[in-house]
């Protein structure tokens, strides 16, 4: 059965790194809305230009646009066959509502919350200094995470789907925690799996 997972975490919590490791381990498709938007920017489309100014300001692209992009991606055969790790979506209550509809029969197995404090992620992002990481944009993104995205964790928790993992430590340490939190989902290849 393909898995359908969601990963949450503040900007700078290490979602990208842990997502790449999980995708390798589970064979699911990594669907990162931030990566999709950055690809649109790189391709120089009019939509990309619009997205860039929104992203640079630390604001969110509108729900309608994001839901349309994700809906199309979730319908593609690779995702239908292999399942998905959603990274960066849903980010607002409206996106979460729409996601449930988009997935239809495909139930979400788990939502992973990679927990790193506001102080820690702020320090990490200022160190990394991407050109969209101005102090104002960082502050805006963190504020939107608290007001828009964090409430979604409670929704996943109320459905018993949320696992919270301490995101501080080495890449390996955090990945081991993610795997233990996911339990049997990550036991692919374990001695009992093929029996
Ligand atoms: P990320 O790489 O997930 O941190 O996303 C980078 C930026 O892309 C965000 O700060 C938003 O401006 C935009 N973005 C990514 N995903 C979404 C989403 N689901 N809804 C709205 N905006 C998004």
């Amino acid at each position: 059965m393909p898995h359908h997972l969601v990963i949450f975490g503040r900007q700078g919590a290490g979602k990208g790194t842990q997502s790449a490791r999980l995708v390798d381990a589970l064979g699911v498709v990594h669907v990162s809305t931030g990566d999709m938007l950055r690809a649109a920017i790189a391709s120089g489309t009019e939509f990309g230009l619009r997205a860039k100014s929104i992203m640079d300001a630390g604001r969110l692209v509108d729900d309608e646009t994001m839901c349309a992009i994700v809906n199309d991606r979730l319908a593609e055969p690779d995702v239908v066959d292999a399942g998905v790790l959603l990274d960066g979506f849903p980010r607002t209550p409206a996106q979460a509502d729409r996601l449930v509809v988009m997935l239809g029969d495909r139930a979400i197995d788990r939502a992973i919350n990679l927990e790193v404090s506001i102080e820690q992620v702020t320090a990490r992002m200022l160190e990394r200094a991407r050109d969209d990481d101005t102090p104002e944009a960082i502050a805006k993104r963190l504020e939107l995470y608290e007001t828009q995205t964090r409430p979604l964790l409670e929704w996943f928790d109320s459905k018993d789907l949320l696992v919270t993992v301490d995101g501080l430590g080495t890449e390996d340490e955090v990945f081991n925690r993610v795997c233990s939190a996911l339990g049997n989902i990550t036991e692919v290849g374990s001695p009992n799996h093929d029996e």
Side-chain angles (χ1 to χ4, degrees):
M1 280 283 281
H3 293 298
H4 304 99
L5 305 167
V6 182
I7 188 163
F8 288 105
R10 296 187 172 97
Q11 294 243 322
K15 265 184 307 151
T17 309
Q18 295 301 322
S19 294
R21 306 256 326 231
L22 263 177
V23 161
D24 271 354
L26 297 176
V28 294
V29 178
H30 185 202
V31 171
S32 155
T33 45
D35 286 352
M36 290 164 94
L37 293 171
R38 283 183 283 274
I41 293 174
S43 68
T45 57
E46 200 190 310
F47 167 66
L49 276 179
R50 240 184 336 122
K52 183 169 176 12
S53 64
I54 293 171
M55 289 162 77
D56 284 352
R59 292 173 20 239
L60 293 176
V61 175
D62 67 282
D63 289 333
E64 214 38 60
T65 305
M66 292 313 303
C67 290
I69 293 174
V70 172
N71 192 37
D72 287 351
R73 188 68 188 92
L74 292 180
E76 284 176 37
D78 58 339
V79 173
V80 173
D81 289 349
V84 70
L85 173 66
L86 279 167
D87 166 4
F89 186 97
R91 241 184 171 93
T92 66
Q95 293 179 11
D97 288 343
R98 290 281 293 277
L99 175 63
V100 173
V101 178
M102 286 177 209
L103 285 171
D105 291 345
R106 299 178 280 179
I108 297 171
D109 300 286
R110 287 282 189 288
I112 303 154
N113 171 29
L114 203 54
E115 189 62 46
V116 178
S117 71
I118 292 186
E119 294 72 27
Q120 284 283 346
V121 292
T122 306
R124 281 187 193 180
M125 278 194 283
L126 289 171
E127 241 168 61
R128 155 180 111 176
R130 267 184 358 205
D131 62 359
D132 59 343
D133 283 345
T134 61
E136 295 75 22
I138 292 171
K140 183 74 194 161
R141 285 189 204 113
L142 290 173
E143 178 205 322
L144 286 174
Y145 187 81
E146 296 309 310
T147 58
Q148 298 290 305
T149 309
R150 187 165 272 285
L152 306 183
L153 301 182
E154 280 150 38
W155 186 86
F156 281 100
D157 194 28
S158 74
K159 307 262 181 264
D160 268 343
L161 294 175
L162 189 72
V163 293
T164 292
V165 173
D166 177 1
L168 272 193
T170 66
E171 219 180 287
D172 284 343
E173 281 164 355
V174 177
F175 186 62
N176 287 337
R177 282 180 212 142
V178 171
C179 290
S180 359
L182 288 178
N184 57 7
I185 290 181
T186 45
E187 280 164 19
V188 177
S190 69
N192 295 324
H193 186 261
D194 293 323
E195 284 172 11

